[in-house]
Amino acid sequence: MEVRRVVLGPGERYELRLTGRGARGYVWTWQVTGDTDAVSVAPGPTVAGAATPGAAVELSYVVRALPPGGGRAGIRFAQVRPPYPDEAPYDEFLLEVEVTPGSGGAG
């Protein structure tokens, strides 16, 4: 499992790109742990590019640091096949996010 660490200020965002295997029935799911109110996660924009049928495609996810900041969250992404919930994930990725406290400076 790959682990990546990022530091964000309140309101900042980080775009994560992961390889998709939708043609094989896999989807990426995620679970936030730690300070769950410090971040939000959403599917990002579609990554442009022509893919041949059945080829792996790149998917993006946007992680946003939420105000007021001052927290740490772990986001575990798991590539699973929903029809087989007891099957081990095909791939996993852990994003550790530190959200710095808001500075209160000029906006």
Side-chain angles (χ1 to χ4, degrees), residues 45-105:
T46 302
V47 179
T52 58
V57 296
E58 195 170 58
L59 304 171
S60 72
Y61 297 88
V62 176
V63 175
R64 187 173 307 276
L66 302 175
R72 291 180 185 268
I75 306 166
R76 179 185 169 267
F77 290 86
Q79 197 171 43
V80 299
R81 293 193 300 176
Y84 306 100
D86 296 329
E87 189 177 88
Y90 180 84
D91 198 4
E92 294 179 283
F93 186 93
L94 178 61
L95 183 65
E96 295 179 350
V97 183
E98 178 183 347
V99 181
T100 59
S103 64

Side-chain angles (χ1 to χ4, degrees), residues 21-69:
R21 290 177 178 79
R24 297 182 188 161
Y26 288 92
V27 297
W28 282 103
T29 61
W30 61 86
Q31 180 178 18
V32 181
T33 59
D35 296 320
T36 59
D37 58 350
V39 297
S40 67
V41 183
T46 302
V47 179
T52 58
V57 296
E58 195 170 58
L59 304 171
S60 72
Y61 297 88
V62 176
V63 175
R64 187 173 307 276
L66 302 175

